Amino acid sequence: MRLLRPVFNLLLAALLTPLWLSAQNNDAVPVTLETPYNTALVHLHYLQTDSYQPGTAARTLYGVADSTRASRLAIRLKQVYDGMGLYVRLNRIPRDANYMDSTVMQSVFTPFPNELPQVYLEKVDGKWYYSEETVNQINTLHEEVYPFGTDLLLQLIPRIGDREVLGMKAWQLVGLILLLVLAILVHLVLSRLLKPVVRQLSHSRIYPSLVPPKLIWTIARLISVLVVVRMLRLFVPTLQLPIEAANFTVVVIKLITIMLVVGILFRVLDVIILYANKGAHKTESKMDEQLLPVIQRGVQFLIFAGAIIQSLRVFQVDITTLIAGISIGGLAIALAAQDTLKNLFGSLTIFMDKPFQVGDWINFAGVDGMVEEVGFRSTRVRTFANSLVYVPNGKLADMVVNNYGLRHYRRFNTTLSLTYDTPPELIEKFVEGLKGIVANHPLTRKDYYEVHLNGMGSHSLDILFYIFFEAPTWSEELKGRHEILLEVLKLGKALGVRFAFPTQTLHLEEMPGTMPTTPHYTTDPKELDQRLQAFMKK
């Protein structure tokens, strides 16, 4: 019932709208047909209740010899105007007998170029008439405005009574009440019939319970109300409301139709996004999940923009002129919004090139952290200090970004320092054990690593420990480091290796009454040659 409230409001508004034709008066209108204005005025004036002369109104039609047929066509043309809610604004019709349409450079005038382009006035032999093409189209237009035999109601319903109630004839009031009752009944029945249909259309064998029942029910009700509103659009013209009321009613119905279509499209888009999210979770790239909300907002914007354009058309706003005006001011808008446009194109570049994705560890311009979100305007990075950094996508697209998240292997490079008194044989066994630790760990790269005695420092013998982890995340890398270092400590304890740390040793070479501690070096060349040859033989 809440969804039908706009329908009730528009019908009540039509009921209470003032009933008059502001352009008309009771004075006789001369039939000269010398200008478009006079022709349109004669046609409308002589079909009003207080000046009803259909034969005179029929003189505005060109090429119809049969007076009875001409009168019927003139009446039908006005019924087309009334049924479509088209208000003929006489003050906008040219009063120049030599008027010429600049777009086609001919003596023609089209009262409603957007709604009824096939209905136009044409100058023939110095007088203005509804053109021959218009006359031939009247019956077709009448059937389009009053389809399914509803034009018969124009003749049957008024016979109920001519008594006026609330400024309307009794039969018009009865018709409004019947439409209200019919709208309620159709909505109650149709919404329940559409619910299983919508459920079946949104059903998937893979995800049978993905779409929530509330969303299905909302779509069914919106479609039901849309059908009811379109039904009202068919039957409201048969009430032959005054032109102001008819125009107001048609405009409101069109606006409600646009809003309902937007609501239905938004809900259908929600269903599509639900299934797309399920598909995105199956992919390896997390950017797909981040891209879906951006696509959803973009599609919603396009739907909303289309709704605005259609609403402007309802109010007979010249869209072409409006777009031309926007294009003229486009340069100023572009200059004012150049940063926004730059960020937008930067977002598109990031989504297409995918230099990183949500969850990646990246580094750029002194910022080091994990990507949390990539939006239309900016990218959000959570630093390791747990702060949030918002970077405009336009700037980020131009930066050099180091993506640690795309590494196949994560390097671990450290130096193991042993004391200088460690025997060479022990160093060799220790290095052999280190290589075994690397070979046996499940996360290390087995085809490339370096473990060697690499330096003799100021206080230690340095062993290079250069390995790689095959870990997709930083947390797994840290876990691997933890396990490797624990194994190194256990190996050192098992072999009796002492790890060095920065120390200073003070040597007293000679004290009174003691033997000097300075080593005695052999300087005999023959003895030194013998020692060298013995070492080289080993």
Side-chain angles (χ1 to χ4, degrees), residues 185-482:
L185 293 177
V186 172
H187 173 65
L188 293 177
V189 174
L190 190 60
S191 59
R192 283 156 178 78
L193 292 177
L194 287 173
K195 187 175 180 180
V197 176
V198 175
R199 183 187 298 111
Q200 184 64 29
L201 291 176
S202 59
H203 178 78
S204 172
R205 295 181 180 178
I206 303 177
Y207 309 109
S209 304
L210 181 61
V211 182
K214 184 177 180 180
L215 181 57
I216 294 175
W217 180 236
T218 300
I219 296 175
R221 286 188 299 172
L222 287 173
I223 295 176
S224 174
V225 175
L226 179 61
V227 173
V228 170
V229 171
R230 297 306 300 171
M231 180 192 70
L232 292 175
R233 178 67 182 86
L234 294 177
F235 286 97
V236 165
T238 62
L239 298 177
Q240 289 296 285
L241 299 173
I243 185 60
E244 290 85 356
N247 177 265
F248 177 80
T249 303
V250 171
V251 168
V252 173
I253 287 178
K254 289 181 178 179
L255 292 178
I256 293 178
T257 301
I258 293 172
M259 289 188 292
L260 289 172
V261 171
V262 170
I264 293 172
L265 291 177
F266 276 12
R267 300 289 82 78
V268 171
L269 180 62
D270 291 340
V271 174
I272 296 174
I273 292 298
L274 285 175
Y275 284 105
N277 266 324
K278 283 294 183 180
H281 285 304
K282 293 183 177 181
T283 62
E284 296 181 359
S285 175
K286 296 181 181 179
M287 190 66 77
D288 295 337
E289 302 172 20
Q290 188 65 39
L291 183 60
L292 283 177
V294 177
I295 294 176
Q296 183 178 16
R297 289 193 291 267
V299 174
Q300 288 176 344
F301 173 78
L302 293 177
I303 294 174
F304 187 71
I308 292 178
I309 293 175
Q310 292 301 320
S311 300
L312 293 175
R313 290 182 181 276
V314 170
F315 291 105
Q316 300 182 11
V317 176
D318 191 349
I319 303 299
T320 304
T321 304
L322 181 63
I323 295 176
I326 294 176
S327 62
I328 293 175
L331 179 60
I333 296 175
L335 291 175
Q338 57 180 341
D339 291 337
T340 302
L341 293 175
K342 184 178 180 181
N343 291 330
L344 176 60
F345 285 109
S347 303
L348 296 177
T349 301
I350 292 174
F351 282 121
M352 288 187 296
D353 292 346
K354 296 182 179 180
F356 51 81
Q357 61 182 3
V358 176
D360 279 355
W361 171 16
I362 64 174
N363 177 277
F364 60 93
V367 178
D368 197 20
M370 309 291 287
V371 179
E372 281 199 353
E373 181 181 356
V374 181
F376 258 138
R377 181 189 174 277
S378 62
T379 295
R380 188 169 67 185
V381 178
R382 176 76 65 177
T383 67
F384 295 111
N386 203 35
S387 62
L388 273 179
V389 178
Y390 291 86
V391 187
N393 289 331
K395 294 183 179 180
L396 186 59
D398 294 333
M399 292 182 182
V400 177
V401 179
N402 189 357
N403 189 347
Y404 295 107
L406 292 181
R407 294 177 297 178
H408 296 292
Y409 301 100
R410 296 172 181 260
R411 186 183 64 176
F412 177 42
N413 181 19
T414 189
T415 300
L416 303 177
S417 299
L418 307 182
T419 57
Y420 263 98
D421 58 359
T422 305
E425 296 80 8
L426 182 56
I427 293 177
E428 289 183 357
K429 290 297 180 181
F430 183 64
V431 170
E432 182 180 343
L434 292 176
K435 293 180 179 179
I437 291 174
V438 176
N440 293 327
H441 195 276
L443 295 181
T444 55
R445 182 178 179 181
K446 308 300 189 295
D447 59 340
Y448 177 69
Y449 57 88
E450 302 292 344
V451 181
H452 306 284
L453 179 62
N454 188 50
M456 303 177 69
S458 60
H459 63 278
S460 63
L461 299 173
D462 298 330
I463 297 177
L464 172 67
F465 193 67
Y466 186 84
I467 66 175
F468 293 87
F469 290 101
E470 192 173 0
T473 64
W474 189 45
S475 296
E476 294 187 25
E477 177 190 354
L478 293 178
K479 180 182 177 181
R481 288 190 182 192
H482 172 82

